[in-house]
Amino acid sequence: MAGDPPSFCFGPGALVPTEDRSAPYVGRPVMLSDMCVLADQAGRPEASYLWFDAAVGPGTVDLGDGFVQETVEVDGTRLTVGSTDAALREQILASATGGETCMADLEVQQSGFPAVVPGDAERDGRVLNVCVYHSPGDPRPDFERAELDYATTLGREALQAYLAALAQGDRPRDQCPTIDYAEGEWVVLEIGTEDGEVLRRDVVHTFCPGIAVGADRLGGLETVRLTPEMVEPWAVEGIKAVVHGPSSMRSQAFGDYFIGPQG
């Protein structure tokens, strides 16, 4: 997207932003901008950064002039922090703890979600975790598993707006009964408590737009037909950069909320 400031580039050792290289950034190794250059052409980094699951092995690398890059692995997810500030690196890496919120890797058809805790999601829910997954694989997608590309947590206001829109939806059904297809993109909406417990997971399917309420896996056919009102509460922040959605259906179900690469 020439002319736009870069959101993310590939991970350390591959590509780095070319505009405002003094601004700290957080990213995943997914290509969302062409405004990047090879790291070996960019020289020493100018800003602190945090990468999730970049193609960098655990360990410490001295990049010169006091700039150090540290990589650790926690529950299968790699975190890479680069900075001249040792205290900042330590603080970020120490905050990485194991958990099941927005798991890094999922099987599509198997029952891959951990069990939810007992409770009424609509009554007891306080936060809405938004987890974006894509099928990995280049050049051929791997439709048997999915990897986390993006995650954010929204508050009770967004959660209540989403639940209110969902309550006005149709009854669940197969949205594309005559089409044989393999999905490659999902948004998992986790309704949780302030203590980090998950009460319910709803899966947004973007190929045949719909929401599987109370799902226990990514795969599934019976969904509530997706409407723009159901999308609006959580399609904020980085969602517009990472969720694609089929362009032929975007105007009907997504409105203007998803602006990822056209597909």
Side-chain angles (χ1 to χ4, degrees), residues 12-16 21 37-44:
L15 296 169
V16 296
R21 294 182 57 209
V37 295
L38 292 174
D40 59 6
Q41 299 174 356
R44 173 189 174 280

Side-chain angles (χ1 to χ4, degrees), residues 1 12 14 17 23 68 77 81 89-90 124 131 144 155 162-163 167 188 196 200 203 230 241 244:
M1 295 177 288
V68 175
T77 297
V81 179
R89 296 195 305 270
E90 181 179 0
D124 303 328
C131 318
E144 294 183 357
Y162 163 70
L163 291 174
V188 178
R200 192 180 87 195
V203 176
M230 297 175 192
H244 303 186

Side-chain angles (χ1 to χ4, degrees), residues 187-212:
V187 180
V188 178
L189 303 176
E190 296 185 337
I191 301 174
T193 68
E194 293 176 336
D195 296 328
E197 297 176 321
V198 178
L199 300 168
R200 192 180 87 195
R201 292 182 178 87
D202 297 351
V203 176
V204 180
H205 298 262
T206 65
F207 186 88
C208 289
I211 299 179

Side-chain angles (χ1 to χ4, degrees), residues 33-213:
S33 173
D34 58 7
M35 304 188 69
C36 304
V37 295
L38 292 174
D40 59 6
Q41 299 174 356
R44 173 189 174 280
E46 297 180 12
S48 300
Y49 54 76
L50 168 62
W51 286 95
F52 293 92
D53 281 331
V56 177
T60 301
V61 179
D62 186 345
L63 299 178
D65 297 329
F67 200 103
V68 175
Q69 174 180 291
E70 294 184 66
T71 301
V72 299
E73 186 167 326
V74 179
D75 283 3
T77 297
R78 287 189 303 274
L79 288 87
T80 300
V81 179
S83 178
T84 58
D85 188 336
L88 175 63
R89 296 195 305 270
E90 181 179 0
Q91 179 183 7
I92 293 174
L93 294 176
S95 69
T97 58
E100 300 297 341
T101 298
C102 290
M103 292 178 294
D105 189 272
L106 290 170
E107 293 186 10
V108 175
Q109 295 300 333
Q110 302 301 318
S111 181
F113 295 158
V116 297
V117 301
D120 187 316
E122 298 187 15
R123 182 192 65 205
D124 303 328
R126 294 294 183 272
V127 300
L128 185 66
N129 299 317
V130 184
C131 318
V132 179
Y133 293 90
H134 286 99
S135 171
D138 186 15
R140 293 186 303 173
D142 176 2
F143 293 114
E144 294 183 357
R145 65 188 188 93
E147 294 180 350
L148 182 69
D149 272 352
Y150 176 86
T152 190
T153 298
L154 305 178
R156 186 165 173 77
E157 182 178 353
L159 171 60
Q160 290 180 322
Y162 163 70
L163 291 174
L166 188 63
Q168 301 300 315
D170 298 337
R171 300 180 67 174
R173 64 179 179 84
D174 187 348
Q175 303 299 324
C176 298
T178 62
I179 299 178
D180 184 16
Y181 62 93
E183 293 183 282
E185 176 182 63
W186 306 262
V187 180
V188 178
L189 303 176
E190 296 185 337
I191 301 174
T193 68
E194 293 176 336
D195 296 328
E197 297 176 321
V198 178
L199 300 168
R200 192 180 87 195
R201 292 182 178 87
D202 297 351
V203 176
V204 180
H205 298 262
T206 65
F207 186 88
C208 289
I211 299 179
V213 178

